[in-house]
Every structure is written in C-alpha cells, then in structure tokens.
Amino acid sequence: MRRTALLAASAALVAGALAWPAGAAPRAPGAPATFVHPGVTVSQGQLDFARSKVTAGAQPWKGAFDRMTASKYADLNRTPKPRAVVECGSYSNPDHGCTDEREDAIAAYTQAVAWYITRDERHARKAIELMDAWSAVIRDHTGSNAPLQTGWAGSSWPRAAEIIKHTYTGTWANSGRFATMLRTVHLPEIINGSNSNGNWELSMMEAAVGISVFLEDKASYDKAMAKFRTRTAAYVYLESDGALPKTVPSQNLDTRDKIVRYWQGQSTFVDGLSQETCRDFTHTGYGLSAISHIAETSRIQGQDLYGTDVGERLRHGLGFHAKYELGATVPGWLCGGSLKPGLGPITEVGHNALANRLGHAMTNTVALTLRGRPAGSNNLFVAWETLTHGDNPA
C-alpha cells in the first residue's frame, strides 16, 4: 500500500516528524567484549563451509570458486601498484591510484580466500605482498571522492587482513605496519561520516566497522555503528516511519521539499524505497550492500541486527529493487515511471541472512539471487559472495 506525503503538512510539523528525537537516536550496539576473528563480513565458520563445498565439487560453490580463481584478482603474478597519495575526483576524474588501490585491496581479499580454501601458501604470500606494498607507501587520500574511495578500499583491506592474520600459519612480519596504515590513513578519512548521498556514508561506515574489528578499536566500532544505524534508517523507507522518511540530523533536511529533493524528486514513499532509487539502482546497490556487510559483521561479532529495523529495511530494500531489476512494469508514481536498473552482485549476504536463516519469504530477491549466480565482483568493494555466503548456514 502506497503512502503519499501530504502536501499540506506544515514545515513545523514536518520538522518534528523527521529527525530522531533528542536522545532517542537508534541505539547502537556496543562493541563486543572480545572481538571475533576472522570477523569482517565473513567468519571462519563460513569459510569452512565454503571450503568443504568446493572440495566436494558441490554447486553453486565450486562454480563460484572457479569464477573467482579465473579472475584477475587471483593472479599469482599480480604486481601491486601503491601510491603515496591517492587522488580521486568525482566519477574517477582524476583517477590517480584510485582504481589501483581498490583493485589491489579486492585482490588481497581474493588471494586470502583462495589461500583458505586451497591452503596453497602462494595465495597467502601474494595477499601479504599486496598489503605490505600499500602499507609501506600510502600516506593520504585526496580529491572530492577521497571519503568514498577510502570507504571502498577500506572495506576490502580488513577483510583480507582478518583472514591472513588469524588463519595463515606462516608469518606476516609487517602486520603492525598494515594496522598503522588503517589507523592513520584510512580511519580518520571515514569515521566522521558524510552528508552526501547515503551510499557514501554507508560504505564509509562499512570500512570503519571492519577496520575497527581488525584494530580491536571499541570506540571507533561504537561510533561507526551509531552512524550506520542512523544512516540506514534514513536510506531505506518503511511505512512505519510515517509520512516522510527519517533523516540524518546533521543534514538539516527539515522541510518536506528538502527531503523530496534529497530523495531525487520522489514524493511517494513505500516500503523498501531508497534515497537513491530514482538516481539509479547501481548506487542504491552500493548502499544496500554496505548495509548487509555491516549487519553480517555485527552478527559475527555477537549482535544480530537482522532482527531489528536494519534487517527490515534491508529485506524490503532488496525485495523492492529486485522486483524491478527482474523486469516488473514501473508505475508512473515511481521516479516518473522510469528506472535505471543495474543493482549489481549484492544480494547474497542479505538473502542468506533473511530468507535462509530467518525464513522470510523473499520471492523477488531469491529469483534475482539465483539468476545472478555465481556472483562476481563489482570491482569496487563487493566480491565472490556466492562463494562465501550463498546458502551458508554458518
């Protein structure tokens, strides 16, 4: 059932309904007393499950593994391309080391997963080589897209580091230097959030949460989780929110007109609609993916957010966009009757948690997930999630 914002709502009434009341922001779960490792997006139990399925030749995991190992990211001859200063402009103009860092970070994660599944130490050593090359050189991210770049690369780096540090039986002499890189180069760029489109802050908080787990930094973990909870509530609409979407207080979206402009001109709000739906599904997919990754990390760390509004927003967000990604007719009230599909390989984590683990009926999400298997990489911060999370009970 559609819920349409009332045009006659006064600015005063709107302002009161929009932001979280003082002292009543969504409660951020506290950092765990003891961090679980490896514990960024993928757990050791999930890796063990994937390894057992690949070893047995079972599908879809064997096909997903084959796709991963055939990719450029699994190449044992890959040469890292670190830079002291990574300069990133809007839409990658300029791109001075931006693609190089993101892809080397994905490659480090890919090599770490390949190590875990195959126990071929060459993959572990390649992951270490990539991480060491960057930690020896990089000092800063600059340019208008620096926060987003840091969020994307900073999401993949700790996933790789967690697996290597906590499962590789060899040595990683420079793990402390890599931790210093995350603490001094990446975390300060992202931890205070962003007032840009919501996918920025969600990706930044994904990186901040992952880095906090690797560093065992409870204060940063709590800060990132608090921003995540507030941003998620402001990124995916639920009818229970009221006539208008919730907002991030620092953005001062205190009138209906401001909110509609921020929501790309959309004035009718329904369960699962995203702040960026009417922009395009690709950016929306970035936001939904980051929500699922943080929820998964939180679950591994002992606090399951899938049963909270985070899970509800993710469930409805995935289902709403999957419906149109699968080709449903776009109604005139939605984005002027025109959408830009291209959600990307981002549904596996949420599908596994919400449909498989919690038993929610997610017909459209299930159909889109199965159609996309085995999921690959978006070459930014998402990679190989059929392998690591597809129908994974761990």
Side-chain angles (χ1 to χ4, degrees):
M1 175 179 174
R2 298 205 299 270
R3 184 185 297 258
T4 305
L6 298 176
L7 289 169
S10 69
L13 289 174
V14 167
L18 301 182
W20 296 97
R27 186 183 67 82
T34 303
F35 284 98
V36 175
H37 302 291
V40 177
T41 310
V42 60
S43 68
Q44 187 155 0
Q46 289 170 322
L47 290 168
D48 285 339
F49 175 83
R51 183 172 187 241
S52 71
K53 292 298 185 181
V54 171
T55 301
Q59 300 297 350
W61 306 275
K62 180 60 166 63
F65 175 76
D66 290 344
R67 181 173 185 181
M68 181 186 79
T69 54
S71 75
K72 62 184 178 181
Y73 300 118
D75 185 357
L76 287 167
N77 295 312
R78 184 180 186 88
T79 301
K81 299 178 181 179
R83 286 180 182 242
V85 177
V86 174
E87 182 185 5
C88 306
S90 180
Y91 292 95
S92 298
N93 184 23
D95 179 349
H96 297 156
C98 315
T99 298
D100 290 338
E101 186 192 11
R102 292 194 306 265
E103 295 196 348
D104 276 350
I106 292 173
Y109 173 63
T110 302
Q111 299 283 352
V113 173
W115 138 253
Y116 197 91
I117 290 177
T118 66
R119 293 302 196 268
D120 183 338
E121 291 201 26
R122 294 177 299 168
H123 289 297
R125 290 195 294 268
K126 178 58 68 172
I128 290 170
E129 177 189 344
L130 290 159
M131 291 188 285
D132 282 355
W134 279 90
S135 69
V137 172
I138 190 170
R139 297 294 177 266
D140 199 10
H141 295 92
T142 65
S144 60
N145 267 33
L148 183 60
Q149 166 71 19
T150 311
W152 282 341
S155 294
S156 298
W157 284 130
R159 283 202 294 265
E162 280 282 295
I163 295 171
I164 294 300
K165 183 175 180 179
H166 297 286
T167 73
Y168 177 48
T169 51
T171 58
W172 181 14
N174 292 311
S175 63
R177 189 179 72 196
F178 185 81
T180 298
M181 177 192 83
L182 295 181
R183 182 181 296 109
T184 63
V185 177
H186 291 77
L187 193 57
E189 186 70 44
I190 55 179
I191 191 61
N192 291 318
S194 167
N195 286 326
S196 185
N197 283 303
N199 82 86
W200 276 52
E201 187 164 82
L202 288 166
S203 291
M204 291 162 68
M205 291 310 104
E206 178 186 344
V209 166
I211 289 169
S212 297
V213 170
F214 183 71
L215 298 178
E216 298 195 334
D217 183 336
K218 294 183 179 182
S220 292
Y221 185 94
D222 286 347
K223 184 174 182 178
M225 276 293 185
K227 287 187 175 294
F228 164 68
R229 294 295 298 270
T230 300
R231 175 60 70 176
T232 298
Y235 193 67
V236 180
Y237 176 81
L238 293 178
E239 290 186 2
S240 57
D241 293 338
L244 291 167
K246 293 185 180 296
T247 68
V248 175
S250 61
Q251 292 190 262
N252 298 313
L253 299 174
D254 53 4
T255 69
R256 180 185 182 278
D257 286 346
K258 287 182 181 179
I259 290 177
V260 169
R261 283 197 298 272
Y262 186 59
W263 281 63
Q264 321 293 328
Q266 179 68 14
S267 59
T268 299
F269 303 100
V270 299
D271 279 337
L273 183 79
S274 164
Q275 180 254 316
E276 296 189 90
T277 299
C278 295
R279 180 186 185 188
D280 58 61
F281 278 24
T282 300
H283 286 89
T284 301
Y286 300 162
L288 294 174
S289 179
I291 291 170
S292 70
H293 292 166
I294 296 173
E296 193 70 2
T297 296
S298 181
R299 184 186 71 86
I300 294 166
Q301 296 305 325
Q303 291 179 306
D304 196 336
L305 296 178
Y306 289 115
T308 71
D309 79 296
V310 170
E312 278 298 281
R313 292 178 197 279
L314 179 60
R315 179 168 71 91
H316 284 291
L318 289 173
F320 180 84
H321 294 88
K323 174 182 176 180
Y324 295 108
E325 189 78 17
L326 290 166
T329 300
V330 183
W333 60 264
L334 177 60
C335 307
S338 178
L339 296 171
K340 297 177 182 177
L343 204 56
I346 60 92
T347 64
E348 288 279 15
V349 176
H351 165 263
N352 189 51
L354 296 163
N356 290 341
R357 192 178 299 122
L358 296 184
H360 290 295
M362 300 175 69
T363 305
N364 291 318
T365 302
V366 170
L368 185 62
T369 300
L370 294 177
R371 190 180 78 173
R373 285 183 173 174
S377 174
N378 70 354
N379 304 311
L380 298 173
F381 69 106
V382 178
W384 326 123
E385 293 182 353
T386 299
L387 175 61
T388 55
H389 292 82
D391 301 334
N392 192 323

